[in-house]
Each structure stands twice: as C-alpha cells, then as structure tokens.
Amino acid sequence: MSDKTVSDMSFEEAMAALETVVAELDSGDVPLDKSIALYERGAALKAHCEARLKAAEEKVAQITTNEAGEATGATPVDGL
Amino acid sequence: MSNLIDDDGDGPAPGANAHEFTVTEISGAIKRVIEGEFGHVRIKGEVGRVSRPRSGHIYLDLKDDRSVISGVIWKGVSARLATQPEEGMEVIATGKVTTFGGQSKYQIVIEDIRPAGVGALMAMLEKRKKALEAEGLFDAARKKPLPFLPEVIGVVTSPSGAVIRDILHRLRDRFPRNVLIWPVAVQGQSAAGQVAAAIDGFNRLTPGGKIPRPDVLIVARGGGSLEDLWAFNEEIVARAVAASDIPLISAVGHETDTTLIDFVSDHRAPTPTAAAERAVPVRLDLLAWVDGQGARLSRAAAEATGRRRQRLADLARALPRPETLLSSARQRLDLAEDRLPQALRNAAARKRLRLVETSSVLSPRALQVRLVTERQRLTDLQARAGSALTSQMRDHRRAFSNLGARLRPALLRQPLSHKFRAFDAAAARLINLAQGQTTARRSRLEAIERLRTSIGYEATLARGYAVVRGDGDVVMTAKDAGKADTLEIQFRDGRLSVGSGVSPAPKIKKPSKKPPPGQGSLF
C-alpha cells in the first residue's frame, strides 16, 4: 500500500491504488483488522476518483499573443 | 533631304548609315528590349550553385543540360518563399529577366520559386527526413508517454474551421477538459513559422502561471493536398516538436497523409478526432469503473466478515463435547485391549516367520559359495603375489648384478696382500721370540730337576736306605709302627707290604721296619 495521502494523488494514481486495494481485499488472504483498514482506504480512493470525475468541466480559451508572438493571456471562447 | 544627304556625306564611315550608340546607350536599349520581352516568365530548371551572402539576397544558377542562367532573389522575396531553393532541386522560377549592364550579363530576378511538381517535393521531403532521422529525432526512445488524464490540453490549429470543432466536440463527449487554443495559420508561407512558435510558446508557459501550462499538446490540421500540408513538412516545425517537453500528438490531414511532424511527435493520430480520443479517457467509462471497484470493495469486505462468521460457526459445530472425546478414547482402549493378545500372537508368529526366512538364508551352501569365492580370490591373490615376487626378484637381481658389476676384487686384494706381508713379518718375529724363551726355560728346568733329584729321598734309597709307611703315612718311630695295622717298606727298586705291627710277624718285621736314624733325619 502506498503511503501517499489520497488527496494528493492524481486520478491515475488513485485509480491504480484503488485497483490494488480491491484485488488485495478480494483475495481473502487479509487478516480481519487489516481488511477493515483496506476497506476504509478503498472507500476514500473511490470518493477521490469520483470527485475528480464529477468535477470535469469544459473550459475553452484562446491564447492571445503580443508582437513577438509570446502568449500574453487567454480569452474564453464560446460557441465552438 | 539634301541636309540629310550632306549629313550622310559627313559620316565617319562611308556607306554606314546605322545609328551610333554609346556602350551605355546600347546596354540600356538591350535592357529595355529584354525586360519588355521577358517581363514575366516562368523558367523550369535545376537549381545549381546557391550563395547566400550576408546581405540576405540569394544568388543562384538555374540550369538544364546545355545552358545556365543566373538568378537573384532579393531579401524581401526570400523571406516570403514557401520553399527555400536548394542545390539540385527541380524548380519553377517565376520572375522577369533583366540585364546587368556593368558586366554585360543578364539574369532573372525571381519573385517566386517552387519545386517543379509533386515528384520534386517528395524528393526534397525524403532528403529532409533522412537527415532528421540520422540525427536521431525519430528514435522511439525519445517518445514521451502521454498522460492518462491531462488537466489542460493545448491545441495548435486554426481557430476557425472544422478541425477545432471536431476536437472540442470529441473532448466534450469523452471528458470535458480545460482547452487552450493557440491560433495559427495551417497553410501558406507563414504557417510553418507560426506552428513552430506556438509549440515553443506552450512550452515556455510556467506551470501554475497566469496561463495554465498544458499537460499534452495536439497539433492538428484537416486534410488537403501535399502543398496544403507542406507547412508540417518543414524542418522548423519538426525541430520544434522534437524540442517540446510537453508530450505532443500530431494529427495532420487524413489517415493516409503522413507529414514530417508525424515522425517526430510522441503519438501520431490519423485524424484530429482521433487525437482528441487519444488525449483523454472516457469519463463515463471511468465512472462505471470506479462504481464497479466500489461494489467489489463492499462485496469483498462483506465476504471477508461473512466468510469468517461462517468459519467460526463451522468450527463451533465441529467442536466435540468433552464426554464424546472421552468415550471415543475409552472405546479405543477397549478395542486395543481386545486386540492385544491376538496382536501378541501375531507378532510372535511374524517374528518366527522372519526367523525361518532368515535362517533359510543362513545355509552351509551359502557359506560354501562364499568360501569358493574367497578361495578364488586367494588363488588370484597368490597368483598375483607370485608374479609380483618374481618381478620383484627380477628387479632385485638386476639391481644386485648392477652392484656386483661395480664390485672390483682388485680393490680388496690390494690391501689384503699388504696385510699378509705384515702378518708374515709379525709371525716370524713371534717365532724367534718364542724359541728363544723356550730354550732358556728348558735349561732352567733341567737345572732345577738336577737339583731336585740330588736332594730327593729316592737318591738316599739308592744308597741303601728304606722308607717305612704305616697305614700310608711315613713312620718314624717304632711306637708308631706298632700302632699301624699295615706296614709298607719302600726300597730303591719297589715297595713291600708286611703284616700288622701287633701280630707276631711284626716282631720280625720290626727291626727291618725301623728306618735308619740317619735316614729319618734326612727328611
């Protein structure tokens, strides 16, 4: 089990961790005490993943550049 | 007319009525004619020597198999060119022919130059591709993995048109994300420079800055002719892609179009839509997956406790009552008790059987066989010993004869003869000494003997005296003679026994027996 705090994980990391937890718990080899801790961690990972997925929001912006061609800002684009 | 005739008559060369030009005049006239005649021409040829001085102008030769024409591309024009001329390239140059009076030369001032047809373009592209490949820009090891779920996606494309719409649409379907569009021309002479600058610009953004730095880039353009897509074959674009730290997906043209950028990018998508698909996973799939994992998690946890509960129940059921434990043991004891005598008998029988089996093996015949083998071994050993002895003897004999051969009697004989001689001498000396001593002793002995006989009693006997012995001892007195049992008289010529001194005979004998006093004093 990784020591990384769930909230610091990227979606991909949380996904991999959740998969590991589920596989471990599924195998049935885990002592009862540990299985409870695993379940709690799995639940936290699942909530984290869900939050990341549900927070998905589209934002489209167009880069504006100066004379030298460097990015100076971004203006929101609608209707594309 | 007459004036004219006069004038003619005054001419420097009689009969030559042609106009007389100065050099500059004729140069100017030629220039006018040529520029008038060839003010706008297209010339097809191969680019020969190209020189690019610091002024920024380009001087080059156009040639075919027989002729050469010089050309010049002014600085302003060269910056605008879609294709830079390279030596060996088949081109069509558009421009006007002009003269250069100062050197009596003519040349074409090129306003546009482009590869002559698709074949020439492809040839150039191939050459460029080889060069970049040789640099290692296409190596698989350089390709960066694409992020699983990018937060920000940078898109380099034209802001108007179907391509950006397709990309945004597909992204929206799959996983709405933060999209930054860097607008560029995707066609024409400035396209390559703008695309390269946009890729570079995205890389320059700092993470966490005012404008978020993309996690992945998509460089996209819709389908078109080879010339339309040409900007993505330019080296400047390929190098910008290779230099990008942000993973980059290229999606230029249709599936069948392959441009240089596709070789350098981290992932090549066949279409802009495919690029969007490659950039993000499907959100709904992921949600379903997370739900599935959640369900598995709950089920596994429930099963973990359920299984244990079941096991506990099973174990509790399987736990026997104490009396059952005891009764079975008692039963076993009874059974064993029952079986004990029989078991003993059986065991004894088994042992007996084994004894019989064992003793059957232990037969004289077995010994005999053993004896025969051992005897055989002994014989073998003897045979080997004999031969070993013989061979050893042979060896020793050989060693002995070797030693014997070395033994020389002469060595012994020589010292022996010396010793013999010494011995002879010693013996001779010994004999001499011994003889001398013997003679001396003999004469001494004779002298002593003479003395002895002269003083001995035997000589007295010879003069008529006799010796009387009684019972073996010399008798000096008559008293002693009377006591003796037997008397013996020694004369000169022998001894004579007479009877006892107490018998009558001794009366007779007595005087005779009496030795002369003188005789006795002799002793």
Side-chain angles (χ1 to χ4, degrees):
Chain A
M1 218 192 294
S2 154
D3 294 336
K4 201 164 178 180
T5 319
V6 172
S7 56
D8 290 345
M9 283 185 178
S10 73
F11 179 81
E12 198 179 0
E13 284 170 335
M15 236 175 111
L18 179 57
E19 206 160 26
T20 312
V21 164
V22 169
E24 204 173 338
L25 205 55
D26 239 1
S27 73
D29 297 337
V30 193
L32 195 61
D33 291 354
K34 203 184 168 198
S35 76
I36 292 165
L38 269 178
Y39 176 79
E40 282 170 353
R41 186 174 166 82
L45 286 165
K46 182 191 172 232
H48 183 64
C49 285
E50 266 175 350
R52 295 297 288 264
L53 290 175
K54 283 178 178 155
E57 182 196 358
E58 187 188 75
K59 228 168 26 179
V60 181
Q62 186 169 318
I63 298 281
T64 52
T65 55
N66 60 13
E67 294 288 316
E70 290 159 345
T72 51
T75 52
V77 176
D78 290 319
L80 272 176
Chain B
M1 280 303 274
S2 63
N3 278 347
L4 281 173
I5 291 165
D6 285 348
D7 283 349
D8 281 346
D10 294 340
N17 62 350
H19 177 68
E20 191 174 81
F21 291 99
T22 64
V23 174
T24 303
E25 278 170 358
I26 190 67
S27 290
I30 292 168
K31 191 183 189 78
R32 273 194 303 280
V33 169
I34 287 179
E35 285 185 354
E37 191 66 24
F38 305 107
H40 183 81
V41 288
R42 283 161 59 85
I43 304 172
K44 185 177 174 185
E46 188 189 325
V47 177
R49 183 188 50 82
V50 180
S51 80
R52 297 165 183 271
R54 253 203 305 260
S55 62
H57 310 314
I58 302 172
Y59 300 96
L60 51 77
D61 287 341
L62 291 177
K63 58 181 184 180
D64 59 16
D65 54 349
R66 275 185 293 184
S67 308
V68 176
I69 180 170
S70 301
V72 62
I73 305 170
W74 302 125
K75 185 180 173 183
V77 176
S78 80
R80 274 206 320 269
L81 286 179
T83 313
Q84 292 295 323
E86 288 168 31
E87 193 171 336
M89 193 189 279
E90 280 290 324
V91 292
I92 294 171
T94 310
K96 64 174 183 182
V97 181
T98 181
T99 63
F100 183 45
Q103 285 186 0
S104 182
K105 283 187 173 169
Y106 66 94
Q107 62 184 11
I108 174 170
V109 176
I110 297 168
E111 278 141 21
D112 186 30
I113 190 166
R114 57 183 60 208
V118 173
L121 269 180
M122 291 311 286
M124 195 174 74
L125 178 58
E126 208 50 46
K127 199 171 142 195
R128 204 174 276 169
K129 210 157 86 182
K130 282 215 175 70
L132 294 182
E133 189 168 16
E135 275 186 48
L137 258 55
F138 302 168
D139 287 357
R142 297 201 49 186
K143 310 269 183 215
K144 294 176 283 294
L146 302 180
F148 179 73
L149 180 58
E151 290 292 325
V152 182
I153 301 167
V155 183
V156 177
T157 191
S158 163
S160 57
V163 169
I164 187 65
R165 258 179 242 280
D166 286 350
I167 291 175
L168 288 176
H169 189 249
R170 189 47 61 98
L171 286 178
R172 200 171 293 140
D173 281 353
R174 289 171 69 89
F175 208 127
R177 295 280 75 183
N178 193 349
V179 180
L180 282 174
I181 304 166
W182 195 302
V184 291
V186 290
Q187 186 172 343
Q189 287 163 359
S190 60
Q194 286 187 20
V195 169
I199 295 168
D200 187 44
F202 269 135
N203 274 282
R204 277 176 199 277
L205 294 175
T206 46
K210 187 176 69 172
I211 310 168
R213 188 175 196 252
D215 304 309
V216 67
L217 296 181
I218 298 174
V219 177
R221 192 209 185 280
S225 68
L226 180 64
E227 287 84 355
D228 290 343
L229 303 181
W230 194 253
F232 298 92
N233 282 325
E234 292 292 357
E235 194 174 330
I236 180 176
V237 172
R239 289 203 181 277
V241 171
S244 175
D245 287 332
I246 304 171
L248 189 145
I249 304 170
S250 65
V252 175
H254 295 302
E255 198 155 354
T256 49
D257 301 322
T258 301
T259 47
L260 200 58
I261 192 175
D262 294 327
F263 293 100
V264 199
S265 65
D266 299 306
H267 180 79
R268 188 228 163 181
T271 59
T273 305
E277 284 171 2
R278 188 63 192 79
V280 292
V282 179
R283 179 168 157 268
L284 287 178
D285 288 354
L286 289 176
L287 274 172
W289 182 86
V290 169
D291 274 352
Q293 293 291 311
R296 269 183 75 189
L297 188 70
S298 306
R299 198 177 54 241
E303 269 174 15
T305 42
R307 213 168 31 239
R308 283 179 171 87
R309 185 171 298 123
Q310 181 64 44
R311 189 131 171 263
L312 181 63
D314 291 350
L315 285 172
R317 227 185 349 267
L319 204 64
R321 289 195 304 278
E323 60 267 26
T324 339
L325 276 175
L326 216 61
S327 68
S328 99
R330 177 161 300 133
Q331 198 174 349
R332 274 182 62 204
L333 178 64
D334 291 346
L335 212 64
E337 220 170 10
D338 242 22
R339 285 171 55 195
L340 187 60
Q342 186 57 42
L344 263 177
R345 270 194 297 279
N346 287 351
R350 267 201 304 279
K351 300 277 179 206
R352 190 171 298 128
L353 191 62
R354 264 193 68 197
L355 179 63
V356 170
E357 280 170 357
T358 315
S359 52
S360 77
V361 175
L362 198 69
S363 69
R365 170 137 181 76
L367 275 176
Q368 196 80 40
V369 170
R370 182 86 192 276
L371 216 56
V372 168
T373 25
E374 292 300 322
R375 188 172 293 136
Q376 184 58 45
R377 264 189 66 200
L378 185 62
T379 318
D380 291 350
L381 283 173
Q382 267 174 352
R384 278 168 55 195
S387 74
L389 261 179
T390 319
S391 79
Q392 262 194 21
M393 205 122 93
R394 210 172 23 243
D395 290 346
H396 284 309
R397 189 169 292 140
R398 201 174 302 130
F400 177 71
S401 30
N402 284 344
L403 284 171
R406 283 165 56 195
L407 197 68
R408 282 185 292 145
L411 288 175
L412 275 175
R413 215 169 280 143
Q414 205 168 359
L416 212 57
S417 65
H418 284 306
K419 302 280 182 207
F420 270 134
R421 237 170 286 144
F423 177 72
D424 286 348
R429 272 164 56 203
L430 187 61
I431 289 168
N432 285 342
L433 275 173
Q435 277 174 351
Q437 277 190 359
T438 311
T439 313
R441 283 196 178 115
R442 186 171 293 138
S443 52
R444 256 186 81 195
L445 184 63
E446 280 167 357
I448 291 168
E449 180 61 23
R450 266 191 312 272
L451 182 63
R452 188 190 67 88
T453 46
S454 70
I455 62 172
Y457 77 95
E458 278 96 343
T460 321
L461 292 180
R463 279 182 281 149
Y465 291 90
V467 176
V468 179
R469 288 184 178 90
D471 297 328
D473 293 321
V474 173
V475 181
M476 303 280 248
T477 62
K479 193 175 131 213
D480 289 333
K483 281 188 233 168
D485 291 334
T486 56
L487 289 174
E488 191 186 44
I489 306 163
Q490 185 181 6
F491 298 98
R492 185 190 62 180
D493 56 347
R495 292 184 186 203
L496 180 71
S497 290
V498 279
S500 163
V502 266
S503 64
K507 276 260 194 229
I508 310 158
K509 259 179 89 179
K510 200 156 176 184
S512 63
K513 186 194 156 199
K514 245 204 173 150
Q519 195 179 7
S521 68
L522 274 174
F523 285 94

